[in-house]
Amino acid sequence: MARWEPNARLRLVQAAIDLFCEQGYDSTTVAQIAERAGLTKTTFFRHFPDKREVLFAGQEEHRRLLAEGVAAAPADATPLGAVTAGLDALTASFTPEQREFAPRLATVVAGHGELRERLAFKELDLAAALADALRERGVPDPAASLAADLGIRAFSAAWGQWITPANSRSFPALAHRHLAELHRAATTLT
Amino acid sequence: MARWEPNARLRLVQAAIDLFCEQGYDSTTVAQIAERAGLTKTTFFRHFPDKREVLFAGQEEHRRLLAEGVAAAPADATPLGAVTAGLDALTASFTPEQREFAPRLATVVAGHGELRERLAFKELDLAAALADALRERGVPDPAASLAADLGIRAFSAAWGQWITPANSRSFPALAHRHLAELHRAATTLT
C-alpha cells in the first residue's frame, strides 16, 4: 500500500458504512465514499471493484484464516475440533475497529436484498473453504461439508451476538458455545 | 391456463432447454424460446418473468410440496422422519418429462455462473421452507434448520444420481439413502 494513504482500506470501509447509514446504500456513490475518506476514486478502485464489495472486504482473508486454522489443528483432532481451530484463527483476527462498525454494517446488509444475497454467498464460500481444508486432513464427505456447515452457522450466530451492545463475551467463546449447541442439536434429529 | 395453449409451460421449458443446449444460454432470446415452443412472447411472459426463471420453474411448487409433506407426517415423527415425508411428497411429483430433460438442464446450469448462483438460492429457499415447516411442528432451532439442511443436501445428491443415464433407482429410494448417509456422517463429527 502506498505510504501517503495510511489505512486507506479501513478508512474507505468506515466512510462507506457511515454514508450507507446516513443516506442509504442505493443513494451513495463511489465518489462520495472516496471523498468522505479523504481519498480519490482511483484509490478506491485500487482496493475495491465496487461499493458493494467494500462491505465484504474480508472474505479472502477469512477464507485463508479458516483454512490455516484447520490445517494447524492437532493431527488427532476430530472434524469439529479442527473446525473449532479454524474459527479460533478467524475470530482472533477481529479488531476493535471491526467491532465498532459491525452493528451498522449488519444493519445496512439486513436492509437490502442484494446485500443479503451477497452475504449468503460469502457464507457458502467460507463453508466451501472450511470443507476443502477438512478434506485435506482426510475427513471424508459428507462429514467434511457437514462439519464445515456447522462451523459457518456457529460463526454467523456468534457474530450476531458479538455485535450486540450488551455483549461482553469474546468472539471465540461465543463461537465455541454455538458450535457445541449445534452439535447437540444434530444428535436430536432422530 | 387458456384452452388454446395446452401444456404451454412444459413446452416453453423444453424449448428453452433445447435452445440453451444448442446455441448457449447467453445467445438465446425469449422470442426464440417462444417461437420454438410454437407460442408467442406474450404467452411466455404470462408464465415466466425472464429466460432464467424457465430453468427454475418448479421452485414455488417444490416449496409447497415439501411443507405439505412435513405437515402431514405422523405426530410422533422425528425431525428427520418429518423431513423424509417432505422429500417423499416432493420426489413423488417428478414426471417422466422432467426425468427426460433433467440431464440437459443440469448441464446448462453447471456451465453458467449466474445459473449456479440461482440454483444455490433455490436450495437455500427450499431449506428455509423445510425449516419453517419443521418449526410449525414444534421442532426447535437449531435442530429445525439443521434437519432442513440435511434434507436439501440429500435431495440434491439424490437428484444428481437420479438423472444419470445408468440410474435405475427411484428418486425416493435415492433420497432416503442419502439422508441416512448424511445422518450417519453427522454422528462422526466428534
Side-chain angles (χ1 to χ4, degrees), chain A residues 78-81 116-118 120-121 124 139 141-147 149-150 153 181-183 185-190, chain B residues 78-81 116-118 120-121 124 139 141-147 149-150 153 181-183 185-190:
Chain A
T78 63
L80 279 191
R116 288 195 303 272
E117 288 196 10
R118 178 66 183 79
F121 271 105
L124 290 173
V139 179
D141 263 323
S145 61
L146 280 181
D149 184 60
L150 292 189
R153 283 168 184 264
E181 188 190 337
L182 283 160
H183 185 244
T187 65
T188 67
L189 300 184
T190 55
Chain B
T78 63
L80 279 192
R116 288 196 303 273
E117 288 196 9
R118 179 65 183 80
F121 271 104
L124 290 175
V139 179
D141 262 323
S145 61
L146 281 181
D149 184 61
L150 293 188
R153 284 169 184 264
E181 189 190 336
L182 283 161
H183 185 242
T187 65
T188 67
L189 301 183
T190 55

Side-chain angles (χ1 to χ4, degrees), chain B residues 129-146:
Chain B
L130 210 40
D132 283 344
L134 289 166
R135 282 183 213 109
E136 294 223 347
R137 292 176 61 87
V139 179
D141 262 323
S145 61
L146 281 181

Side-chain angles (χ1 to χ4, degrees), chain B residues 61-71 82-83 85-90 126-127 129-130 133 152 155:
Chain B
E61 199 196 347
H62 291 185
R63 283 182 69 92
R64 185 179 56 75
L65 289 166
L66 284 171
E68 287 175 1
V70 169
V83 165
L87 291 181
D88 286 351
L90 171 54
L126 294 182
L130 210 40
I152 297 307
F155 175 77

Side-chain angles (χ1 to χ4, degrees), chain B residues 87 90-91 94 106 119-120 122-124 126-127 148-163 171 174-175 178-179 182:
Chain B
L87 291 181
L90 171 54
T91 56
F94 287 106
L119 178 61
K122 178 177 173 182
E123 292 181 352
L124 290 175
L126 294 182
D149 184 61
L150 293 188
I152 297 307
R153 284 169 184 264
F155 175 77
S156 286
W159 168 269
Q161 286 197 299
W162 184 61
I163 69 175
F171 203 143
L174 291 165
H178 282 286
L179 198 57
L182 283 161

Side-chain angles (χ1 to χ4, degrees), chain A residues 77-146:
Chain A
T78 63
L80 279 191
V83 165
T84 304
L87 291 181
D88 286 351
L90 171 54
T91 56
S93 77
F94 287 107
T95 63
E97 286 84 3
Q98 279 172 288
R99 172 69 184 77
E100 194 272 322
F101 63 64
R104 285 175 303 137
L105 184 153
T107 303
V108 171
V109 172
H112 203 289
E114 183 194 330
L115 299 175
R116 288 195 303 272
E117 288 196 10
R118 178 66 183 79
L119 177 61
F121 271 105
K122 177 176 174 183
E123 293 181 352
L124 290 173
D125 183 56
L126 294 182
L130 210 40
D132 283 344
L134 289 166
R135 283 184 212 105
E136 295 223 346
R137 291 176 63 86
V139 179
D141 263 323
S145 61
L146 280 181

Side-chain angles (χ1 to χ4, degrees), chain B residues 25-41:
Chain B
Y25 173 78
D26 288 322
S27 312
T28 300
T29 64
V30 164
Q32 290 171 332
I33 295 168
E35 190 191 350
R36 177 70 66 99
L39 298 165
T40 62
K41 266 177 75 173

